Amino acid sequence: MDHSFFTTALVFLAAAVLFVPLAKKSGLGSVLGYLIAGVIIGPYALGFVGQEGQDIMHFAEFGVVMMLFLIGLELEPELLWKLRKSILGLGGLQVILTTLVIAGIALLFHFAWQQALALGMILSLSSTAIVLQTLSEKGLMKTAAGQSAFSVLLFQDIAVIPMLGLFPLLATLQAGQSGAADTHAVTNWVEGQPAWLHTVIVLGSIAAVIAVGRVAVRPLLRIVAKTKMREIFTASALLIIVGIAVLMTQIGLSPALGAFLAGVVLANSEYKHELESDIEPFKGLLLGVFFMAVGASIDFNLVSQQFREILLWVCILIAVKVIVLLLLGKFFKVSTEQNFIFSFSLTQVGEFAFVLFSFSLQQGILSAQTTSIMTAVVAISMALTPLIILLNEKLILPRVGTDELEERQADEIDEKNPVIIAGFGHFGSVIGRFLRANKIPATYLDLDSDRVDALRNLGFKVFYGDASRDDLLRAAGAQQAKIIIIAINSPEKRLEMIETVKKHFPHLHMLVRASDRYDAYDLMNAGMLHIYRETLDTSLRVGVDVMTLMGYRKYTAKRLAKNFLKYDEANLKRLSAIRNPEDYVVEARKHIEEIEATIQSDRQNLLNEADISWDPDTLREEARTLQNGDAAS
């Protein structure tokens, strides 16, 4: 097959467009999609890419450099200082303990201590891309599990930098022994220097990058920005990154290290967001090519020969990470349920492992055979992540949740109030605070154990439990109560709770939270009369303020907003009964036109009552005049 540049580019781009969307739709994530695409087009599958894949990897490593630059831009020194306890505590201990345990196991497999330490550091990392995407899709980022995982991942991203600086000191193999002889045929400025001098040069170069970034780069960006030429600004951003990459290569250091430091230096720059938007497209494309090149470079002949060893390492790795993370979660007082979510989400090895294995091969730390085996271990651990999380949700969490519920139910609900609020998150807590300020007693229930503990520390007597269960509602005094406010987050859980209340406590007046119109339709069809859409009142308040600023009287604007709400609520029931999408669009358009006509009629009546001599058409004409630059207006 012709392996010209354009043909190879065509193969890589076609594979990415085909396999990455399929992987994401299957819940595997984009990183695994790129890896699978690389395997398919690689020499051990379809053979579209051969040995030239190594050359492409050198080019695509630039995507990793830009990724680290962007990560550095996000790490503002003030933010790092505020989060220092969770990042350094939980994240730091995770990396240290996992590194030591895996290094100890590697020593039992007869690795030299330098190689064992390198393996421990690399395999201690987890996948930022996979974990954050998974937790975000499941709505878990704001939970204790999500925040703990974020702290660990943030420390791991930062820890890559000292790892890259430490790796040259761990070299034990010659380039020919490691299999990296032809990887980078360059002579750098520190070649042949003793290890201590190498370290001094590295530290001096890091200090130089920081100093130049503060003294010279910002003034340079200001000068370029004044030209108001976007392409020149983009070229300047790429020049900064390429220049640092070349410098780091010349001193025998990873170019990714310098890019990360440059990003941190510019994190407080006024051009931070513009740099991010300019670099992001290049980073995403080249990083995807890098992962594809990694997939194409996996030696499946070696994997088939060493399959038992690879499978053993995968099992060891997952077991070590789960145990270490569970112990740390317990030490940092994360609830059992949240601890299991946190621990099982971080069992894989991260995308930075590919970078570090490539770097360790170049530096003569690990052999080509070891890096091939471990690259396969990393890819398999990432591929197993969705399955591991699913097993945790289906098999472990139900049992853990039951145990926690029993522990919580041991504390009996010792009060009976006329109002019960189910769900004490951002929506329910506002209602609770308002009622408490007006001396109206209420019983608060919530299913998030960490939120319950936090609210108790704030002085709220919140009870843990699943409010959709009739026995818990009975314990909370539902038989004597008058009103129940259903403010829980999950729409499915709200409908389940409505059925429970209708069946066991039909005397209760139900006031139900709705996320949007479509959620309100489901609640209406369930027989609810008192439905409260989350953003409706706030949106109308904004509209009232806009009208006031445009010259309307406050009273008039509020009356019009009240009428709009009344008409919209009246039409909501009619629209909720329509299931056909096409019919819904027709009726919704009619509804919008009717409301507009009615409101315009109401507006004119109110203006006539107030004896207002102007109307909105006059305002629009004045705005148009101002827009055309007529100062006389």
Side-chain angles (χ1 to χ4, degrees):
M1 181 178 177
D2 177 21
H3 290 301
S4 67
F5 172 79
F6 288 107
T7 303
T8 304
L10 175 65
V11 170
F12 271 79
L13 291 173
V17 171
L18 178 61
F19 288 102
V20 174
L22 288 175
K24 289 202 71 174
K25 191 172 182 180
S26 303
L28 300 177
S30 58
V31 174
L32 279 177
Y34 284 119
L35 286 172
I36 293 169
V39 170
I40 297 297
I41 66 175
Y44 301 98
L46 298 180
F48 290 153
V49 177
Q51 294 302 317
E52 74 278 4
Q54 291 295 329
D55 298 328
I56 292 172
M57 185 178 289
H58 302 329
F59 170 73
E61 283 173 358
F62 190 43
V64 179
V65 171
M66 287 191 283
M67 178 172 70
L68 279 165
F69 177 74
L70 292 177
I71 289 174
L73 278 178
E74 292 296 326
L75 300 182
E76 298 181 16
E78 292 85 357
L79 177 63
L80 292 177
W81 182 251
K82 288 179 182 177
L83 299 176
R84 63 190 183 279
K85 290 184 179 179
S86 60
I87 295 173
L88 295 177
L90 187 57
L93 284 174
Q94 183 275 329
V95 171
I96 292 171
L97 292 178
T98 307
T99 296
L100 293 176
V101 174
I102 293 177
I105 294 173
L107 289 174
L108 297 177
F109 280 81
H110 307 294
F111 283 95
W113 71 267
Q114 296 95 332
Q115 296 173 327
L117 183 58
L119 284 174
M121 288 189 286
I122 295 172
L123 298 180
S124 69
L125 305 176
S126 299
S127 173
T128 301
I130 291 176
V131 175
L132 293 187
Q133 178 182 341
T134 302
L135 294 179
S136 296
E137 289 173 354
K138 294 180 179 295
L140 296 173
M141 280 306 301
K142 293 184 179 180
T143 64
Q147 293 299 303
S148 300
F150 178 77
S151 296
V152 170
L153 291 168
L154 184 55
F155 183 88
Q156 290 177 354
D157 290 341
I158 299 171
V160 171
I161 306 308
M163 288 180 188
L164 290 169
L166 179 62
F167 272 26
L169 303 179
L170 300 177
T172 58
L173 303 174
Q174 298 295 324
Q177 289 178 275
S178 68
D182 300 324
T183 306
H184 288 289
V186 266
T187 303
N188 58 51
W189 299 339
V190 296
E191 188 173 349
Q193 302 293 341
W196 67 269
L197 183 58
H198 192 166
T199 302
V200 170
I201 294 173
V202 166
L203 295 176
S205 300
I206 292 173
V209 168
I210 295 174
V212 171
R214 290 188 176 278
V215 175
V217 173
R218 290 187 183 184
L220 172 65
L221 292 176
R222 291 192 189 101
I223 294 171
V224 173
K226 288 179 180 179
T227 66
K228 297 182 179 180
M229 298 177 67
R230 182 68 180 268
E231 65 274 15
I232 299 300
F233 192 89
T234 303
S236 302
L238 292 173
L239 174 64
I240 293 169
I241 299 175
V242 173
I244 294 172
V246 171
L247 172 64
M248 293 294 110
T249 303
Q250 288 299 315
I251 62 172
L253 203 61
S254 167
L257 171 62
F260 179 86
L261 291 173
V264 173
V265 170
L266 294 173
N268 289 321
S269 166
E270 62 269 34
Y271 303 108
K272 168 185 172 179
H273 297 296
E274 193 164 359
L275 285 168
E276 286 178 332
S277 62
D278 286 345
I279 298 300
E280 184 68 34
F282 297 97
K283 183 269 293 185
L285 180 60
L286 291 177
L287 197 59
V289 175
F290 173 78
F291 289 133
M292 291 173 68
V294 168
S297 65
I298 296 175
D299 188 343
F300 280 91
N301 291 332
L302 179 64
V303 171
S304 62
Q305 296 168 7
Q306 306 289 338
F307 180 75
R308 292 179 62 183
E309 183 179 352
I310 291 172
L311 184 61
L312 178 61
W313 269 107
V314 170
C315 295
I316 290 173
L317 178 67
I318 292 174
V320 167
K321 286 202 166 189
V322 168
I323 293 171
V324 169
L325 289 165
L326 283 173
L327 291 175
L328 287 175
K330 190 172 183 63
F331 179 77
F332 281 86
K333 298 180 180 179
V334 180
S335 68
T336 305
E337 182 180 1
Q338 295 291 312
N339 195 14
F340 272 87
I341 297 173
F342 157 65
S343 301
F344 278 87
S345 67
L346 294 167
T347 54
Q348 74 294 119
V349 186
E351 48 271 3
F352 276 124
F354 300 127
V355 182
L356 293 172
F357 278 129
S358 176
F359 185 64
S360 63
L361 181 65
Q362 298 163 17
Q363 294 294 320
I365 302 169
L366 299 173
S367 66
Q369 180 176 355
T370 300
T371 54
S372 295
I373 292 174
M374 290 302 166
T375 298
V377 170
V378 172
I380 292 172
S381 73
M382 294 172 75
L384 289 176
T385 300
L387 178 60
I388 291 172
I389 292 176
L390 184 63
L391 290 175
N392 179 48
E393 291 177 348
K394 299 299 183 183
L395 299 180
I396 299 176
L397 287 183
R399 294 174 172 80
V400 172
T402 301
D403 292 340
E404 287 211 343
L405 185 59
E406 289 174 357
E407 292 173 10
R408 294 287 181 171
Q409 283 183 338
D411 296 328
E412 295 182 1
I413 301 176
D414 55 2
E415 60 183 34
K416 304 285 190 294
N417 293 308
V419 179
I420 298 173
I421 300 179
F424 215 63
H426 71 277
F427 190 90
S429 62
V430 173
I431 302 170
R433 287 165 51 207
F434 176 75
L435 295 179
R436 195 166 82 158
N438 287 279
K439 305 296 183 182
I440 296 177
T443 302
Y444 312 129
L445 307 174
D446 200 278
L447 191 55
D448 188 325
S449 56
D450 294 295
R451 184 188 294 152
V452 168
D453 294 335
L455 288 167
R456 284 182 175 176
N457 290 334
L458 292 174
F460 289 94
K461 193 173 182 180
V462 184
F463 297 96
Y464 176 84
D466 184 353
S468 64
R469 293 176 48 172
D470 65 287
D471 57 337
L472 186 83
L473 289 175
R474 189 170 284 105
Q479 290 176 314
Q480 295 80 31
K482 297 179 179 179
I483 298 170
I484 184 164
I485 301 168
I486 303 176
I488 50 185
N489 292 329
S490 170
E492 295 80 11
K493 205 71 174 174
R494 288 198 288 267
L495 290 172
E496 182 182 342
M497 187 172 175
I498 287 169
E499 292 303 315
T500 300
V501 174
K502 287 166 66 176
K503 181 178 180 181
H504 297 281
F505 312 102
H507 69 282
L508 284 176
H509 293 286
M510 285 187 277
L511 283 61
V512 190
R513 163 193 181 181
S515 303
D516 49 37
R517 294 183 67 87
Y518 303 103
D519 187 20
Y521 294 157
D522 292 335
L523 295 173
M524 280 187 165
N525 292 328
M528 293 300 97
L529 300 176
H530 304 286
I531 299 170
Y532 303 88
R533 286 176 275 169
E534 291 181 10
T535 57
L536 181 62
D537 292 328
T538 304
S539 301
L540 290 175
R541 281 178 56 200
V542 174
V544 168
D545 290 343
V546 170
M547 294 184 69
T548 305
L549 292 171
M550 288 292 291
Y552 281 83
R553 294 171 58 209
K554 190 79 171 180
Y555 169 79
T556 301
K558 285 186 175 180
R559 280 282 302 274
L560 290 171
K562 186 176 181 180
N563 290 348
F564 181 93
L565 177 61
K566 180 179 68 175
Y567 299 138
D568 189 68
E569 292 288 341
N571 282 280
L572 199 65
K573 181 65 177 177
R574 185 179 69 183
L575 292 174
S576 69
I578 302 173
R579 292 302 178 186
N580 185 289
E582 295 179 359
D583 293 341
Y584 177 85
V585 171
V586 172
E587 289 299 318
R589 291 186 66 174
K590 287 182 183 177
H591 161 61
I592 293 171
E593 292 169 359
E594 287 173 5
I595 285 187
E596 288 178 353
T598 307
I599 290 296
Q600 288 169 11
S601 175
D602 290 347
R603 181 200 68 212
Q604 193 58 50
N605 292 336
L606 287 169
L607 293 178
N608 292 336
E609 290 174 11
D611 193 25
I612 301 296
S613 59
W614 49 261
D615 58 46
D617 293 333
T618 305
L619 284 176
R620 282 195 291 272
E621 184 61 36
E622 290 180 1
R624 197 176 299 115
T625 305
L626 286 172
Q627 219 171 26
N628 293 332
D630 188 351
S633 66

